[in-house]
């Protein structure tokens, strides 16, 4: 079936919520379809994750015509007690830097291929 990401089995280091947040940080007006493709999730999963993030105040959006523009609260503290005091900004800085390093490394993928 076209457009449906390959399933992943097993555990991962980065949660889908963090992946979606990082994708939005990279493009504040990204379409849900594009976020889903980038994160290898279904559009329905991305919609639910965005709703979760908005409900807890990590994310908000404004509608501009047919486009949503997202705003991330960078000062919001991460939820897990083990990350007490760490902010969304600190998490995103790690993920964005890692993505930039991967995109510019030999054999790495660039944004043009996503």
């Amino acid at each position: 079936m076209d457009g449906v990401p390959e399933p992943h089995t097993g555990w991962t280091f980065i949660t889908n919520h963090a992946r979606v947040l990082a994708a939005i940080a990279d493009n504040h007006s990204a379409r849900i379809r594009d976020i889903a493709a980038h994160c290898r999730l279904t559009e329905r999963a991305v919609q639910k994750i965005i709703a979760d993030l908005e409900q807890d105040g990590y994310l908000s959006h404004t509608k501009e015509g047919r486009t949503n523009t997202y705003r991330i609260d960078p000062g919001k503290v991460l939820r897990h007690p083990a990350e007490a005091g760490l902010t969304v900004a600190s998490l995103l800085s790690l993920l964005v830097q890692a993505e930039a390093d991967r995109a510019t490394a030999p054999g790495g993928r660039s944004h043009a291929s996503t």
Side-chain angles (χ1 to χ4, degrees):
M1 202 179 210
D2 282 345
V4 177
E6 295 177 23
H8 180 285
T9 57
W11 61 275
T12 64
F13 283 101
I14 307 297
T15 68
N16 290 336
H17 284 66
R19 285 187 187 96
V20 168
L21 200 60
I24 290 171
D26 190 45
N27 180 356
H28 288 277
S29 59
R31 298 179 307 166
I32 287 178
R33 172 178 295 167
D34 298 331
I35 296 168
H38 179 79
C39 297
R40 300 183 66 164
L41 299 169
T42 64
E43 290 179 37
R44 182 176 293 249
V46 170
Q47 288 172 330
K48 176 159 182 359
I49 289 168
I50 288 173
D52 288 345
L53 293 169
E54 285 187 315
Q55 181 178 351
D56 287 346
Y58 290 90
L59 187 65
S60 61
H61 77 276
T62 55
K63 197 118 174 103
E64 297 174 10
R66 295 176 57 194
T67 303
N68 285 325
T69 299
Y70 297 98
R71 184 190 158 297
I72 296 169
D73 181 351
K76 189 90 168 153
V77 176
L78 301 180
R79 292 170 41 113
H80 196 281
E83 289 98 30
L86 293 176
T87 64
V88 168
S90 62
L91 170 67
L92 290 175
S93 69
L94 290 171
L95 294 175
V96 169
Q97 183 59 50
E99 182 68 18
D101 291 347
R102 183 169 65 159
T104 59
R109 61 186 184 120
S110 67
H111 288 295
S113 67
T114 58

